[in-house]
Amino acid sequence: MHIWLKRAFNFGGGNALMLASFVMIGAAMLSLVLEMSSSAEPWRFYASFGLLIMILGFNIVFANIDDIAPERRTRNYALYFIFSALCLLGLFVVARQAAGFYLIFMFTAQAFVVMPFRWALIYTLSFIAAIVGVTIWLSDQVDLYSLMLSLLL
């Protein structure tokens, strides 16, 4: 465990993206606690926080994905990105607000770093299309215009 922590928190090289993702997930958790803890139904808050914890767990596994099964690297990356995207879409549905919206950019940045360009582009476009679809589906309870503007900017 100590060796992993030493390697994980080395601020140089490829660990910078991993550390940035941990900080972004932590910021999303803090944002969720500050925005939802008193105003939302308890089940929405706990389900949303649980989804963020799952995303954090996926990122911890992602940090060590090459050590787990190097012969299945492409499949492992695909599973990571699919499950993380599903958790984030679930977060948007359960929270009914844009909690963790900036995690979209974290996932797409990770995809472009570790996947070939065309697969990362397909992932990004399909992920954004799914988010726009969920946003339109929830448009009566989510501020659709500010969410779309932040997507475009």
Side-chain angles (χ1 to χ4, degrees):
M1 182 77 162
H2 173 53
I3 295 171
W4 177 81
L5 285 173
K6 187 175 181 180
R7 191 176 71 213
F9 292 105
N10 180 11
F11 285 98
N15 293 331
L17 182 63
M18 181 186 62
L19 286 174
S21 67
F22 288 162
V23 169
M24 290 178 76
I25 295 169
M29 288 178 168
L30 181 64
S31 171
L32 187 76
V33 167
L34 293 176
E35 289 178 15
M36 285 187 71
S37 61
S38 62
S39 63
E41 300 158 341
W43 74 269
R44 284 192 191 277
F45 172 72
Y46 291 119
S48 300
F49 202 76
L51 286 167
L52 281 172
I53 289 173
M54 286 176 61
I55 291 172
L56 180 63
F58 289 146
N59 267 277
I60 291 170
V61 170
F62 176 69
N64 298 309
I65 205 164
D66 291 332
D67 298 337
I68 294 171
E71 67 277 358
R72 296 185 184 145
R73 183 175 187 218
T74 305
R75 184 194 66 137
N76 291 342
Y77 283 140
L79 288 174
Y80 163 75
F81 286 118
I82 289 170
F83 286 130
S84 296
L86 289 174
C87 284
L88 192 57
L89 287 172
L91 178 68
F92 289 140
V93 170
V94 171
R96 303 276 177 168
Q97 55 181 299
F101 182 72
Y102 43 88
L103 295 179
I104 298 167
F105 304 108
M106 178 190 76
F107 290 134
T108 56
Q110 287 175 341
F112 278 102
V113 167
V114 299
M115 295 172 68
F117 180 78
R118 67 182 161 136
W119 292 113
L121 187 63
I122 290 170
Y123 169 77
T124 300
L125 293 176
S126 59
F127 188 32
I128 289 176
I131 288 171
V132 169
V134 166
T135 304
I136 290 171
W137 178 53
L138 299 172
S139 63
D140 59 334
Q141 295 167 354
V142 175
D143 185 10
L144 179 65
Y145 297 110
S146 64
L147 197 55
M148 295 304 250
L149 281 176
S150 56
L151 244 182
L152 295 174
L153 300 177

